[in-house]
Amino acid sequence: MKDTQTNEVPVVIVGGGQAGLSVAWCLKQKGIRSVVLERHARFHSWRKNRWDSFCLVTPNWQCRLPDFHYSGEYGGTDPDGYMLKDQITDYLDAFAEMTQPDLREGVEVTRVTPMDHGYVVETSVGTWQCEQVVIATGGYDSPIEPDYAKNLSPEIFQMHSVDYRNVDQFPDGGVLIVGTGQSGVQLMEDFTRAGRDVHLAVGPAPRSPRKYRGRDATDWLYDAGHYAITIDTHPDPHKAMTQTNHYMSGRDGGKEIDLRRWHLDHGVELYGSLANMNGTQVSFLPDLAKNLDDADKSYVGIRNQIDAYIEKNGIDAPTEPPFEKVWQPEAERTDLDLADAGITSVLWAIGFRPDYSWIEADVFDDRGKPVFNRGVTAQTGLHFIGLGWLNTWGSGRFLGIEEDSRYLADQIAAQMTKVSA
């Protein structure tokens, strides 16, 4: 039953994930009361929207929630490992138990509207009035599937990665996985391990080394200051904001993913970007060679960055042989009949879109993306947290949450002080 009473609180935080609870903790330390509204349960996306074999791609030491670092306050014993799904939720639950936020679960926010001095937040159980609103819902609201997916024969099973848990959900036969970001290549491995025939539509995602010259590549990049680069000082901010995450894996202690090698060693069939579907017929762009080359260019570029850092600082590190391509496609295959190829299912791994239609404020560009400076918008009292490149590469990831949350809490406190003065 909906509560007709209007509740009042200084700050409403929309979203009960790690970003929302981190801001709540930083505000609590400043003596500022907040309420966190979560439409499901805390950390829902980690519990419900990840597959069974999911693990972190970045090392555990990068898990740095405010006052709750993995190998510090949390007491984690494997900083160079990659937490599995249940271990991640255990870490997050322990943070929630320490911080004790005022968290209201099962509450869907349906509208946020500015008023003369603050905001009205309408929800499925009642209305809140507040001075400040923090949007911590992330960017994974709406799974992306192209319109032509509707033209696929009903005989072909389809699923988006958000609903994927394990291979047993799929009918016997081969699978076409669409997308080669971090999710796509890890799902490729799931099906390959299960002995399934895997076909992969390769997009333009870049790739990264995993271990290089004796250390995880992310360790080198961190020491070199790469993750401290802010979006306003980045040499190519547009590329940073729009580029898909580099693909690699934390599985089996961490490894890099070379799709050329997966074709040779595991029989994964590779195609260019998916272009269209009709019945059991699918077509691909003739860009497989280019996409593989571009991914390798990114891979080699990261190696070169690390080499330069090692040389500049006179570090004694083991050497590595130069990169060599182990396979090159002889021809671009642009057409495929799924039935003839024994493919019975399609797994979409091409990402998500955010949904901000419920926020009635002039803080979005013509593409519907929020405009802000480190999460602070031009609309006084309206803020965003937990998005990629809010300030640095670590924004939207565990690595940058503490810095972003503390900064936003400072800005909220300053705005509230200014209003009350």
Side-chain angles (χ1 to χ4, degrees):
M1 182 175 178
K2 190 167 182 177
D3 185 356
T4 58
Q5 179 182 354
T6 297
N7 306 283
E8 294 187 5
V9 68
V11 183
V12 167
I13 300 170
V14 186
Q18 65 270 19
L21 267 61
S22 293
V23 174
W25 172 240
C26 293
L27 290 171
K28 179 184 282 189
Q29 291 179 304
K30 291 180 172 293
I32 299 174
R33 184 180 165 228
S34 68
V35 62
V36 182
L37 306 179
E38 164 58 46
R39 62 180 170 179
H40 299 294
R42 68 188 189 191
F43 315 126
H44 171 85
S45 62
W46 290 104
R47 294 184 208 281
K48 302 298 183 182
N49 295 344
R50 266 49 173 207
W51 52 93
D52 295 346
S53 63
F54 181 90
C55 66
L56 291 180
V57 173
T58 50
N60 296 335
W61 64 261
Q62 292 196 17
C63 295
R64 297 185 170 187
L65 299 180
D67 301 313
F68 207 71
H69 294 189
Y70 170 83
S71 54
E73 295 81 0
Y74 180 62
T77 58
D78 188 16
D80 296 321
Y82 310 88
M83 282 191 282
L84 301 173
K85 175 182 174 181
D86 289 345
Q87 294 170 318
I88 298 167
T89 54
D90 287 346
Y91 170 66
L92 294 170
D93 283 337
F95 175 69
E97 291 304 313
M98 183 196 81
T99 58
Q100 291 293 306
D102 184 356
L103 173 64
R104 313 296 175 93
E105 298 176 310
V107 178
E108 182 174 6
V109 175
T110 56
R111 189 180 183 191
V112 172
T113 310
M115 57 181 185
D116 290 340
H117 300 289
Y119 294 84
V120 174
V121 179
E122 298 179 19
T123 81
S124 56
V125 297
T127 301
W128 292 81
Q129 287 187 1
C130 58
E131 298 175 48
Q132 306 266 323
V133 177
V134 178
I135 308 301
T137 54
Y140 300 95
D141 296 304
S142 303
I144 297 174
E145 292 185 13
D147 289 340
Y148 55 70
K150 301 171 185 174
N151 300 330
L152 190 64
S153 168
E155 298 176 0
I156 305 297
F157 177 79
Q158 296 188 63
M159 179 182 286
H160 191 276
S161 62
V162 71
D163 297 314
Y164 174 78
R165 299 296 172 266
N166 54 61
V167 173
D168 293 340
Q169 293 171 285
F170 283 66
D172 292 338
V175 60
L176 171 63
I177 300 174
V178 184
T180 48
Q182 291 179 358
S183 295
V185 298
Q186 291 178 69
L187 301 185
M188 168 194 74
E189 182 171 1
D190 248 20
F191 278 87
T192 302
R193 286 191 176 206
R196 305 290 285 272
D197 291 332
V198 178
H199 301 251
L200 188 66
V202 179
R207 74 184 186 99
S208 170
R210 178 80 273 174
K211 297 290 195 297
Y212 182 63
R213 300 195 66 175
R215 301 176 72 198
D216 195 284
T218 61
D219 292 355
W220 287 120
L221 293 174
Y222 181 83
D223 288 351
H226 180 78
Y227 298 141
I229 298 172
T230 59
I231 191 63
D232 59 340
T233 62
H234 197 284
D236 192 346
H238 177 72
K239 180 181 179 181
M241 293 287 288
T242 57
Q243 181 173 262
T244 303
N245 290 330
H246 294 71
Y247 60 82
M248 52 185 167
S249 175
R251 202 162 182 174
D252 301 328
K255 56 191 172 187
E256 61 189 45
I257 301 290
D258 181 352
L259 295 179
R260 302 177 197 270
R261 177 65 65 188
W262 278 80
H263 170 72
L264 290 179
D265 294 351
H266 303 284
V268 175
E269 296 294 336
L270 304 178
Y271 309 84
S273 304
L274 188 64
N276 202 5
M277 291 177 155
N278 188 13
T280 61
Q281 298 289 326
V282 298
S283 59
F284 306 91
L285 299 179
D287 61 2
L288 173 60
K290 179 182 185 304
N291 289 342
L292 292 174
D293 287 345
D294 286 348
D296 290 339
K297 182 179 178 181
S298 173
Y299 172 87
V300 172
I302 293 173
R303 287 171 51 132
N304 290 341
Q305 278 184 271
I306 295 171
D307 289 339
Y309 173 74
I310 290 172
E311 182 177 358
K312 179 181 177 181
N313 291 274
I315 298 171
D316 183 16
T319 59
E320 299 266 0
F323 168 72
E324 293 184 2
K325 299 176 184 178
V326 297
W327 174 81
Q328 187 76 5
E330 296 180 0
E332 297 278 355
R333 294 179 291 176
T334 56
D335 295 290
L336 180 69
D337 186 293
L338 300 181
D340 290 347
I343 297 172
T344 59
S345 54
V346 173
L347 178 54
W348 299 101
I350 53 177
F352 301 80
R353 294 187 183 93
D355 177 14
Y356 300 121
S357 59
W358 44 278
I359 303 174
E360 299 182 357
D362 187 18
V363 296
F364 301 97
D365 63 17
D366 54 6
R367 297 172 298 166
K369 297 185 65 175
V371 178
F372 47 69
N373 179 15
R374 297 193 66 176
V376 180
T377 74
Q379 179 83 47
T380 300
L382 182 59
H383 317 282
F384 288 81
I385 192 76
L387 298 177
W389 284 103
L390 198 78
N391 184 42
T392 66
W393 175 90
S395 299
R397 299 172 173 86
F398 284 125
L399 181 62
I401 286 178
E402 181 168 30
E403 180 184 19
D404 289 346
S405 298
R406 294 202 186 283
Y407 176 83
L408 193 56
D410 287 344
Q411 298 304 305
I412 290 172
Q415 288 190 9
M416 292 175 67
T417 300
K418 184 176 181 180
V419 169
S420 62

Short mmCIF file of all heavy atoms in Angstrom, two decimals, residues 18-40:
data_model
loop_
_atom_site.label_atom_id
_atom_site.label_comp_id
_atom_site.label_asym_id
_atom_site.label_seq_id
_atom_site.Cartn_x
_atom_site.Cartn_y
_atom_site.Cartn_z
N GLN A 18 27.09 -0.29 -4.72
CA GLN A 18 28.28 0.15 -3.99
C GLN A 18 28.48 1.65 -4.07
O GLN A 18 28.96 2.28 -3.10
CB GLN A 18 29.53 -0.57 -4.48
CG GLN A 18 29.94 -0.29 -5.91
CD GLN A 18 29.31 -1.24 -6.90
OE1 GLN A 18 28.33 -1.90 -6.60
NE2 GLN A 18 29.90 -1.32 -8.08
N ALA A 19 28.10 2.29 -5.17
CA ALA A 19 28.28 3.74 -5.29
C ALA A 19 27.33 4.48 -4.36
O ALA A 19 27.74 5.40 -3.65
CB ALA A 19 28.07 4.17 -6.75
N GLY A 20 26.06 4.10 -4.37
CA GLY A 20 25.09 4.77 -3.51
C GLY A 20 25.41 4.63 -2.04
O GLY A 20 25.34 5.60 -1.27
N LEU A 21 25.80 3.43 -1.62
CA LEU A 21 26.12 3.22 -0.20
C LEU A 21 27.44 3.89 0.19
O LEU A 21 27.61 4.29 1.35
CB LEU A 21 26.17 1.73 0.11
CG LEU A 21 24.83 1.15 0.64
CD1 LEU A 21 23.72 1.30 -0.40
CD2 LEU A 21 24.99 -0.31 1.02
N SER A 22 28.34 4.06 -0.77
CA SER A 22 29.59 4.76 -0.48
C SER A 22 29.33 6.24 -0.21
O SER A 22 29.89 6.82 0.73
CB SER A 22 30.58 4.59 -1.63
OG SER A 22 31.01 3.26 -1.75
N VAL A 23 28.47 6.86 -1.02
CA VAL A 23 28.12 8.26 -0.78
C VAL A 23 27.41 8.41 0.55
O VAL A 23 27.67 9.34 1.32
CB VAL A 23 27.25 8.80 -1.93
CG1 VAL A 23 26.77 10.20 -1.62
CG2 VAL A 23 28.03 8.81 -3.24
N ALA A 24 26.50 7.48 0.85
CA ALA A 24 25.77 7.54 2.12
C ALA A 24 26.74 7.50 3.30
O ALA A 24 26.56 8.23 4.28
CB ALA A 24 24.77 6.38 2.21
N TRP A 25 27.77 6.66 3.21
CA TRP A 25 28.75 6.57 4.30
C TRP A 25 29.55 7.86 4.43
O TRP A 25 29.78 8.35 5.54
CB TRP A 25 29.67 5.38 4.04
CG TRP A 25 30.84 5.27 4.98
CD1 TRP A 25 32.15 5.28 4.65
CD2 TRP A 25 30.80 5.13 6.40
NE1 TRP A 25 32.95 5.15 5.77
CE2 TRP A 25 32.13 5.05 6.87
CE3 TRP A 25 29.76 5.05 7.35
CZ2 TRP A 25 32.47 4.92 8.21
CZ3 TRP A 25 30.09 4.92 8.69
CH2 TRP A 25 31.42 4.86 9.11
N CYS A 26 29.97 8.42 3.30
CA CYS A 26 30.75 9.67 3.36
C CYS A 26 29.91 10.83 3.90
O CYS A 26 30.42 11.69 4.62
CB CYS A 26 31.30 10.00 1.97
SG CYS A 26 32.54 8.82 1.38
N LEU A 27 28.62 10.83 3.58
CA LEU A 27 27.74 11.86 4.13
C LEU A 27 27.54 11.64 5.63
O LEU A 27 27.53 12.60 6.42
CB LEU A 27 26.39 11.83 3.41
CG LEU A 27 26.38 12.33 1.96
CD1 LEU A 27 25.03 12.05 1.32
CD2 LEU A 27 26.69 13.83 1.89
N LYS A 28 27.37 10.39 6.04
CA LYS A 28 27.19 10.09 7.47
C LYS A 28 28.39 10.58 8.27
O LYS A 28 28.25 11.10 9.39
CB LYS A 28 26.99 8.59 7.67
CG LYS A 28 26.82 8.20 9.14
CD LYS A 28 26.72 6.69 9.33
CE LYS A 28 25.34 6.18 8.97
NZ LYS A 28 25.17 4.74 9.37
N GLN A 29 29.58 10.44 7.73
CA GLN A 29 30.78 10.90 8.42
C GLN A 29 30.81 12.42 8.59
O GLN A 29 31.49 12.93 9.47
CB GLN A 29 32.03 10.43 7.67
CG GLN A 29 32.24 8.92 7.74
CD GLN A 29 33.46 8.47 6.98
OE1 GLN A 29 33.60 8.74 5.79
NE2 GLN A 29 34.36 7.80 7.66
N LYS A 30 30.05 13.12 7.74
CA LYS A 30 29.95 14.58 7.85
C LYS A 30 28.74 15.01 8.68
O LYS A 30 28.44 16.20 8.79
CB LYS A 30 29.86 15.20 6.45
CG LYS A 30 31.15 15.08 5.65
CD LYS A 30 30.97 15.72 4.29
CE LYS A 30 32.31 15.77 3.58
NZ LYS A 30 33.27 16.69 4.24
N GLY A 31 28.01 14.02 9.21
CA GLY A 31 26.83 14.35 9.99
C GLY A 31 25.63 14.72 9.16
O GLY A 31 24.69 15.35 9.66
N ILE A 32 25.62 14.33 7.89
CA ILE A 32 24.50 14.64 6.98
C ILE A 32 23.66 13.38 6.79
O ILE A 32 24.15 12.35 6.34
CB ILE A 32 25.02 15.15 5.63
CG1 ILE A 32 25.83 16.42 5.81
CG2 ILE A 32 23.85 15.39 4.67
CD1 ILE A 32 26.51 16.92 4.54
N ARG A 33 22.39 13.49 7.12
CA ARG A 33 21.49 12.34 7.02
C ARG A 33 21.07 12.12 5.57
O ARG A 33 20.80 13.07 4.82
CB ARG A 33 20.25 12.57 7.88
CG ARG A 33 19.31 11.37 7.89
CD ARG A 33 18.09 11.60 8.74
NE ARG A 33 17.07 10.60 8.44
CZ ARG A 33 15.81 10.86 8.20
NH1 ARG A 33 15.38 12.11 8.24
NH2 ARG A 33 14.95 9.89 7.94
N SER A 34 21.01 10.87 5.17
CA SER A 34 20.53 10.51 3.84
C SER A 34 19.69 9.25 3.93
O SER A 34 19.80 8.48 4.90
CB SER A 34 21.70 10.28 2.87
OG SER A 34 22.43 9.11 3.23
N VAL A 35 18.88 9.04 2.92
CA VAL A 35 18.15 7.79 2.78
C VAL A 35 18.47 7.23 1.40
O VAL A 35 18.56 7.98 0.42
CB VAL A 35 16.62 7.99 2.95
CG1 VAL A 35 16.05 8.91 1.89
CG2 VAL A 35 15.90 6.65 2.92
N VAL A 36 18.70 5.92 1.34
CA VAL A 36 19.01 5.25 0.08
C VAL A 36 17.78 4.46 -0.35
O VAL A 36 17.27 3.62 0.40
CB VAL A 36 20.22 4.30 0.23
CG1 VAL A 36 20.56 3.66 -1.11
CG2 VAL A 36 21.42 5.05 0.80
N LEU A 37 17.31 4.72 -1.56
CA LEU A 37 16.13 4.05 -2.10
C LEU A 37 16.58 3.07 -3.19
O LEU A 37 17.20 3.47 -4.17
CB LEU A 37 15.15 5.07 -2.67
CG LEU A 37 14.73 6.20 -1.72
CD1 LEU A 37 13.77 7.15 -2.43
CD2 LEU A 37 14.10 5.64 -0.45
N GLU A 38 16.26 1.81 -3.00
CA GLU A 38 16.68 0.76 -3.93
C GLU A 38 15.46 -0.03 -4.38
O GLU A 38 14.70 -0.55 -3.56
CB GLU A 38 17.69 -0.17 -3.26
CG GLU A 38 17.94 -1.50 -3.94
CD GLU A 38 18.42 -1.35 -5.38
OE1 GLU A 38 19.33 -0.53 -5.63
OE2 GLU A 38 17.88 -2.07 -6.25
N ARG A 39 15.25 -0.11 -5.69
CA ARG A 39 14.02 -0.74 -6.20
C ARG A 39 14.00 -2.26 -6.01
O ARG A 39 12.94 -2.87 -6.01
CB ARG A 39 13.81 -0.40 -7.67
CG ARG A 39 14.90 -0.88 -8.60
CD ARG A 39 14.57 -0.46 -10.02
NE ARG A 39 15.70 -0.69 -10.92
CZ ARG A 39 15.67 -0.43 -12.22
NH1 ARG A 39 14.57 0.07 -12.76
NH2 ARG A 39 16.72 -0.65 -12.97
N HIS A 40 15.16 -2.86 -5.88
CA HIS A 40 15.21 -4.31 -5.61
C HIS A 40 15.73 -4.52 -4.19
O HIS A 40 15.06 -4.18 -3.24
CB HIS A 40 16.11 -4.99 -6.65
CG HIS A 40 15.63 -4.84 -8.06
ND1 HIS A 40 14.46 -5.40 -8.50
CD2 HIS A 40 16.17 -4.19 -9.13
CE1 HIS A 40 14.28 -5.11 -9.78
NE2 HIS A 40 15.30 -4.38 -10.18
#
